[in-house]
């Protein structure tokens, strides 16, 4: 109100499955029911899955890299706050709050 900022909220659908696993982290899972590519074989994950303890960390790292490529800088005071000259983005798990002086800055 004092700053006259426009805001938008978004939820990232299936957020954790967007994040690739780092090459040094090898995670194997049993084959799901209905998929049989051989007896006693396991599958190596390329991307994170819901239920993995490290899934939120991988997703946050992935999202942070994407936001930085878009010109936002992480705050030195709060790692969930990203800033640029036009935008303020707050990240909470897979939800984003975006603030700007105009709606067009948010949609761009």
């Amino acid at each position: 109100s004092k700053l006259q900022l426009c805001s938008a909220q978004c939820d990232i659908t299936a957020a954790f499955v967007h994040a690739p696993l780092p090459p040094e982290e090898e995670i194997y899972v049993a084959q799901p029911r209905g998929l049989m590519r051989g007896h006693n074989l396991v599958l190596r994950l390329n991307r994170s899955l819901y239920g993995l303890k490290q899934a939120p960390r991988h997703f946050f790292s992935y999202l942070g890299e994407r936001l930085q490529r878009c010109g936002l800088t992480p705050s030195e005071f709060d790692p969930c706050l990203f800033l640029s000259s036009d935008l303020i983005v707050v990240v909470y798990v897979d939800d984003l709050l975006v603030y700007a002086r105009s709606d067009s800055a948010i949609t761009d």
Side-chain angles (χ1 to χ4, degrees):
S1 24
K2 254 187 188 182
L3 297 176
Q4 300 294 313
L5 296 176
C6 299
S7 65
Q9 183 275 335
C10 63
D11 177 64
I12 300 171
T13 307
F16 293 165
V17 298
H18 291 285
L21 292 175
E24 66 275 1
E25 192 167 334
E26 294 183 4
I27 299 174
Y28 295 90
V29 295
Q31 295 182 59
R33 254 178 289 164
L35 176 71
M36 288 305 291
R37 294 192 170 178
H39 195 60
N40 293 331
L41 292 180
V42 293
L43 303 173
R44 181 174 181 216
L45 296 179
N46 292 324
R47 295 191 174 272
S48 195
L49 285 179
Y50 282 90
L52 290 178
K53 288 181 184 180
Q54 57 272 57
R57 179 172 32 93
H58 291 309
F59 173 70
F60 184 75
S61 175
Y62 169 77
L63 180 63
E65 289 171 11
R66 296 288 302 258
L67 291 172
Q68 288 179 49
R69 276 190 265 156
C70 290
L72 289 120
T73 305
S75 167
E76 60 185 77
F77 303 106
D78 187 340
C80 297
L81 176 64
F82 292 82
L83 306 164
S84 76
S85 58
D86 300 330
L87 293 173
I88 300 170
V89 177
V90 181
V91 179
Y92 181 76
V93 187
D94 64 348
D95 294 314
L96 303 178
L97 294 174
V98 183
Y99 298 96
R101 296 219 184 264
S102 68
D103 285 328
S104 63
I106 294 174
T107 56
D108 290 345

